[in-house]
Amino acid sequence: MTRIYPQIVVAKFGGTSVADFDAMNRSASIVLADQDVRLVVLSASAGVTNLLVELSAGLESGERTDKIETLRAIQYNIISRLSQPTAISQEIDHLLDNISRLAEEAASVSSTALNDALVSHGELMSSLLFVEVLRERGVETQWFDARKVIRTNDGFGCAEPMPAAIAELAEKQLRPRLEQALVITQGFIGSDAKGHTTTLGRGGSDYSASLFGEALHAARVDIWTDVAGIYTTDPRIVPQAQRMDNVTFSEASEMAAYGAKVLHPATMLPAMRKNIPVFVGSSKNPSAGGTLVCCHADNPPRYRALAVRRKQTLLKLHSLNTQPACVFLAEMFAVLSRHNTAIDLVTTSETSIALILNASGATSGDADSLTTSLLTELSSRCRVELETGLDLVTLIGNDLTQASGVCKDVFTELEKHHVRMICHGASDHTLCFLLPAASSDRAVKVLHRSLFE
């Protein structure tokens, strides 16, 4: 009998949550513990996407064979634990054959469309295997191809979703299935108007879950990962980091944009549009609780978290003549625009600009914004200076531009650090500064102790 589910919960599981048979079983238990979970969105098993990206770069025959055998071993370590492995092993073999064929093509011709077709196979395999794990536990389950709903443009490697088209397709193709069975689908992948496979960029499965949630007017989106929520900073840097029970969409968006790895930076956008709460918890320890991201938080603190973004490049552009600053700025930004270069942070003086470019996060293709053609054109118009080996540290908080003493609280603690760039004022939620990579962790520890402990 068909049952109507007024409160649909979308549950997304990351790569470590579907890394092997035991991890999949733990994730299956989380799904079955909440009857409102009707749609499950999966990443590829841990390590699989990296292998596929390497194959998409075009490897020699021997290296290709080694990578594909490693992929096969990851899949068959799961299949070998199933009580009825025959049917699914044939489907996985078919996908592995596709991977082999596409990897051979990638070795002779470079194509971003080909790369997306190749790397999409990780999610296709993990979702098929997860369906079998659930079926062996007696659960009525359907596999669904996310490419039927997640409509994007043709920006291969980091495609842009089309929310209106996604909502229409979800109503037609997906909602009827949710009322019949538990549906398992893929994160990270979509398709353009011509049916070509696209991807949403590295870590895009969170984004997919949020897009599905928006299209289905979900009651909640659950992001299950390997940490029990969002912390005041990376616990690997500061073991004393504290889990936050509630944060706002704005705070979580800033944390993700400036380096917090728990969420994909775009995840909050669809959830914010429909005011859908997002829960972040650990699939390894679901009873540990987690963090709820929602529209409002009671009494939000001035200082919420510290985020670190690694491997930043500082690009400095110096005017070659005495042209007015407004002319120089307009000319430089026009060059960056022609090269589709996203600017992340910028400071200016009368004769120079210092900026950090926004890394694309693309799955495939040239993810480096500083292309040869861009540098060549910039060098013909100004003196270009590059500085690498830097990390961006960001303090996330509330009303930082309205509060007194913020800079004192931060930079008094950093008086022995070589701060290379400061950006403050554009957002009420952030104060950003650039440090040499060798000292960034030390700075975060000092600031965390002063501001949070």
Side-chain angles (χ1 to χ4, degrees):
M1 185 177 69
T2 298
R3 177 181 171 185
I4 304 298
Y5 290 86
Q7 296 286 311
I8 291 174
V9 172
V10 177
K12 176 263 174 181
F13 292 89
T16 56
S17 300
V18 290
D20 53 34
F21 183 83
D22 292 328
M24 284 193 173
N25 252 318
R26 286 194 298 270
S27 297
S29 296
I30 292 170
V31 170
L32 300 180
D34 185 349
Q35 66 176 4
D36 290 329
V37 174
R38 304 306 301 156
L39 180 66
V40 178
V41 180
L42 297 185
S43 297
S45 298
V48 166
T49 299
N50 287 340
L51 289 164
L52 292 170
V53 169
E54 290 178 53
L55 286 167
S56 73
L59 301 176
E60 295 296 327
S61 176
E63 288 183 285
R64 285 202 310 273
T65 300
D66 290 344
K67 301 295 182 188
I68 292 167
E69 285 307 308
T70 303
L71 285 170
R72 187 183 303 277
I74 293 171
Q75 311 311 311
Y76 269 86
N77 281 341
I78 299 170
I79 291 171
S80 66
R81 301 279 298 277
L82 295 169
S83 57
Q84 295 182 317
T86 306
I88 190 63
S89 63
Q90 292 175 349
E91 293 187 70
I92 296 299
D93 284 344
H94 174 68
L95 291 174
L96 289 167
D97 288 342
N98 279 350
I99 291 170
S100 182
R101 176 180 56 80
L102 292 167
E104 188 173 354
E105 287 183 38
S108 58
V109 61
S110 178
S111 161
T112 53
L114 173 67
N115 293 345
D116 274 9
L118 177 52
V119 298
S120 69
H121 281 67
E123 280 71 19
L124 297 173
M125 291 190 292
S126 65
S127 56
L128 284 167
L129 291 168
F130 195 68
V131 166
E132 292 305 309
V133 169
L134 283 163
R135 283 176 177 167
E136 291 203 348
R137 295 177 65 161
V139 182
E140 189 174 349
T141 311
Q142 289 187 20
W143 183 87
F144 183 78
D145 191 334
R147 293 170 293 188
K148 292 181 178 179
V149 166
I150 302 297
R151 180 59 50 80
T152 73
N153 66 4
D154 60 359
F156 299 105
C158 200
E160 189 68 30
M162 299 177 176
I166 292 170
E168 182 179 346
L169 290 167
E171 283 298 320
K172 291 179 180 178
Q173 305 252 16
L174 186 53
R175 188 178 293 279
R177 294 171 182 264
L178 300 178
E179 296 168 358
Q180 298 168 1
L182 178 63
V183 177
I184 312 301
T185 192
Q186 309 81 38
F188 176 60
I189 67 176
S191 66
D192 66 10
K194 296 181 180 179
H196 299 133
T197 297
T198 59
T199 64
L200 303 182
R202 294 304 294 265
S205 292
D206 293 346
Y207 194 12
S208 296
S210 190
L211 288 164
F212 277 119
E214 177 187 30
L216 295 166
H217 303 277
R220 195 178 69 247
V221 173
D222 292 344
I223 306 291
W224 294 100
T225 179
D226 55 358
V227 291
I230 305 173
Y231 286 73
T232 47
T233 196
D234 188 339
R236 292 169 297 183
I237 300 174
V238 181
Q240 294 80 15
Q242 302 145 24
R243 208 240 340 267
M244 297 172 285
D245 293 332
N246 294 276
V247 299
T248 66
F249 288 131
S250 298
E251 291 169 331
S253 294
E254 299 285 12
M255 289 178 216
Y258 288 106
K261 298 293 188 183
V262 178
L263 290 172
H264 183 278
T267 302
M268 292 302 117
L269 299 177
M272 289 171 71
R273 290 194 290 258
K274 286 291 190 331
N275 193 21
I276 301 169
V278 176
F279 174 80
V280 182
S282 168
S283 64
K284 294 180 179 179
N285 188 13
S287 62
T291 300
L292 187 69
V293 186
C294 50
C295 189
H296 299 288
D298 293 333
N299 302 314
R302 176 180 296 181
Y303 304 134
R304 180 63 93 174
L306 287 162
V308 183
R309 205 167 66 195
R310 309 289 189 185
K311 297 180 181 178
Q312 302 296 285
T313 297
L314 179 61
L315 174 64
K316 291 185 281 186
L317 310 175
H318 304 276
S319 177
L320 295 174
N321 50 47
T322 57
Q323 61 185 326
C326 59
V327 175
F328 177 62
L329 289 171
E331 186 178 346
M332 292 302 99
F333 284 117
V335 172
L336 293 165
S337 177
R338 279 197 296 276
H339 290 264
N340 297 313
T341 304
I343 300 165
D344 207 13
L345 297 171
V346 60
T347 62
T348 66
S349 72
E350 188 68 21
T351 60
S352 62
I353 307 170
L355 47 85
I356 300 172
L357 303 184
N358 186 11
S360 69
T363 309
S364 52
D366 187 2
D368 187 357
S369 300
L370 285 169
T371 60
T372 302
S373 59
L374 170 61
L375 290 173
T376 299
E377 184 170 0
L378 287 172
S379 298
S380 70
R381 298 169 182 270
C382 65
R383 181 168 64 85
V384 177
E385 188 179 348
L386 292 176
E387 188 175 343
T388 59
L390 301 168
D391 288 349
L392 182 69
V393 178
T394 301
L395 174 64
I396 295 100
N398 293 281
D399 296 324
L400 296 185
T401 59
Q402 309 301 318
S404 59
V406 173
C407 289
K408 178 178 180 293
D409 288 347
V410 173
F411 294 109
T412 298
E413 299 294 333
L414 298 179
E415 61 180 346
K416 296 182 181 179
H417 289 265
H418 185 202
V419 179
R420 297 296 300 112
M421 179 181 181
I422 300 170
C423 285
H424 184 43
S427 167
D428 284 341
H429 289 289
T430 59
L431 189 163
C432 307
F433 45 95
L434 205 57
L435 296 170
S439 65
S440 64
D441 282 8
R442 192 162 64 251
V444 170
K445 290 175 183 177
V446 168
L447 282 173
H448 193 276
R449 184 164 57 246
S450 171
L451 302 178
F452 297 100
E453 294 175 36

